[in-house]
Amino acid sequence: MFRPKLPTMPQPTGQVTPPAAVIEPTTITPGTPAPSSPPVAPASAPVPSRPTVQLTPGTALALVGGGSAIVLVVGAVLVSMLLAVAITAASVAVCAVVLRSLLGSQHRR
């Protein structure tokens, strides 16, 4: 009941053609290693694989402006979330004081 039922592979219905070329394994014979030559010092400085990034005063100003804008936006979001939590806590505290006074006055009567 709980054993999976595996599907059976259907038999091919068309003509089955054998592969055109049969690849036979070849043996690899180790060759003699080539004598290593001493390292040659390059004639010029190596070419860097990536281009260097040059900061112009305009791009530096744009980076500083963008970074400060991001910091200001994130700061405003965090302060607004903190303010929302503080307002919620104050309102819950006020509700608790009102309920306490109502329940306390009810017991006195």
Side-chain angles (χ1 to χ4, degrees):
M1 179 176 161
F2 293 110
R3 293 187 183 186
K5 294 181 180 177
L6 299 174
T8 58
M9 293 296 292
Q11 296 296 323
T13 57
Q15 287 185 345
V16 179
T17 58
V22 177
I23 300 174
E24 295 181 3
T26 58
T27 58
I28 300 174
T29 57
T32 58
S36 61
S37 60
V40 178
S44 64
V47 177
S49 61
R50 293 188 292 175
T52 58
V53 177
Q54 295 178 353
L55 287 178
T56 62
T59 56
L61 186 63
L63 285 175
V64 169
S68 61
I70 290 174
V71 167
L72 288 175
V73 168
V74 169
V77 168
L78 291 178
V79 166
S80 65
M81 289 174 64
L82 181 64
L83 186 61
V85 169
I87 290 172
T88 304
S91 65
V92 168
V94 168
C95 289
V97 168
V98 168
L99 283 175
R100 184 177 175 187
S101 68
L102 287 175
L103 291 175
S105 66
Q106 185 180 11
H107 285 313
R108 291 183 196 150
R109 293 184 187 183

